[in-house]
Amino acid sequence: MNKSLMSWAILFFCNLIWAFHFTSIKLTQDQVGPYFTVWAPMLLATLFLGPFVIRDFRKGNKKLKDALIFVQLAALGAFPSQVLMTWGTQYSLASNAAILVLALPVITAVFAFVLLKETMNRARWISFVIAIVGVVLCSTDDIKNADLSSRYAVGNLMIFVAILGNAYYNVGCKKVAAQYTEMEMVFYTYLVMSILLTPLVLYYEPEAFGRIPDYTTNTWIGMISLTLFHNFLSMLLFFRALKNLDATQVALSNYLITFMGLPIAALWLGETLNTQAIIGGLLVLASTLILSIVDTKAQQKKVVNINQEPAKL
């Protein structure tokens, strides 16, 4: 299996883990606040990775300034993506957030064009359109309940800035991916995020630590899942895939979260699936197959043609 197909398989698995993210949060929400839910798994993942990154840091003769790029990526990308999405949803509606998030692949494509000089070819446009149709079918209830009026303007603006941050972070990580290992990228990002989130946890949710002994089985399942799978395993695999795929491809694949999230919610939380949602999910899957097969072949052909061009004197 070549690197591109392996990367797509990894990305597919990452989206499966991220799709379970929403269910994990639902399992913890009765006992854990939104900031602690983000902060604790990130901090634990940072502690897990610390010894390995420090060992490699010493062996690689790197300097502290080499990791400063992640202060920028975390502060301008990952931090607003996490915090403003939480705040924005509190001041808006969950359905508004679900609709606004549809803009993420588009914004990512714009950042990728500006920062990485990536382009949208025919296969990507077709995949994007099919994915949008599929996600709309999956999100009909959210669309019906959406209210983008002025009373939710502040919350909607926060959500949009969070999406900008997410897109910037993904593209920024792609730009520096060749210089760092997957483990380093996760560790440095989470280290900065943990530092930035600590004051928010201590100010808004100081009682969170006292609740830990009273966690129910569901809460523990949710927190362990968020720590080991969402914040640890999936991010290591994500950065590995990002090294071999374009940022635009990775962003469009995020629509798989909707496709996978529906059956997970149905099985784990007892939510119902209708025919429309199933059709929408299949369309999202089809769009991803177009990206992973047709677009990958087009990119490989483009590379071969470039390599075959005679050198200019």
Side-chain angles (χ1 to χ4, degrees), residues 67-76 188 192 196:
L68 292 181
I69 183 62
F70 290 97
V71 175
Q72 174 189 323
L73 289 173
L76 299 180
Y188 292 131
V192 177
L196 294 176

Side-chain angles (χ1 to χ4, degrees), residues 98-99 102 125-143 252-263 273-288 290:
I99 299 306
L102 296 178
W125 278 117
I126 293 173
S127 175
F128 174 72
V129 171
I130 294 174
I132 284 290
V133 173
V135 172
V136 167
L137 288 175
C138 292
S139 309
T140 301
D141 291 338
D142 291 325
I143 294 172
L252 289 175
S253 76
N254 287 160
Y255 284 134
L256 276 173
I257 296 174
T258 303
F259 164 69
M260 296 174 176
L262 290 171
L273 274 178
N274 55 42
T275 303
Q276 185 171 291
I278 294 173
I279 294 173
L282 292 175
L283 287 175
V284 172
L285 181 60
S287 73
T288 306
I290 291 174

